Amino acid sequence: MKIYQIEVQKFKAASNNIHGQILFKVNALVSPKPEVEGIEPSTIIALTEPNARVLMALLKAQLQEFDGKKARSRF
């Protein structure tokens, strides 16, 4: 498994597709992360507080769009 350090610089756009996925267009710095012995390898995504708030707003908007496409008869 390859592991990376991903630093989000800017969120540019969000959308969703027919497969139920939310897609984000971002500017990011991506660099390989060395494995540390004895620690499970994981990719890390780092973002600032303002970018975290943008992410939350984009997620909320995309989830509302998914909800808008669901059949109303469920409720």
Side-chain angles (χ1 to χ4, degrees):
M1 172 181 10
K2 295 181 181 180
I3 56 174
Y4 296 94
Q5 172 78 25
I6 302 169
E7 183 179 336
V8 176
Q9 301 292 307
K10 180 180 181 181
F11 284 96
K12 297 173 89 177
S15 62
N16 56 55
N17 63 21
I18 61 171
H19 304 293
Q21 298 171 322
I22 299 175
L23 309 171
F24 295 100
K25 185 184 253 187
V26 300
N27 290 347
L29 298 173
V30 180
S31 55
K33 182 179 171 218
E35 290 188 37
V36 178
E37 191 173 325
I39 298 176
E40 183 180 353
S42 296
T43 294
I44 294 177
I45 299 174
L47 50 146
T48 62
E49 179 188 345
N51 278 336
R53 292 183 185 281
V54 169
L55 175 59
M56 288 297 292
L58 291 171
L59 278 170
K60 185 176 180 180
Q62 291 305 309
L63 290 171
Q64 287 176 340
E65 192 171 320
F66 277 131
D67 290 342
K69 294 177 183 176
K70 291 181 182 176
R72 299 274 183 238
S73 61
R74 292 182 13 168
F75 302 106

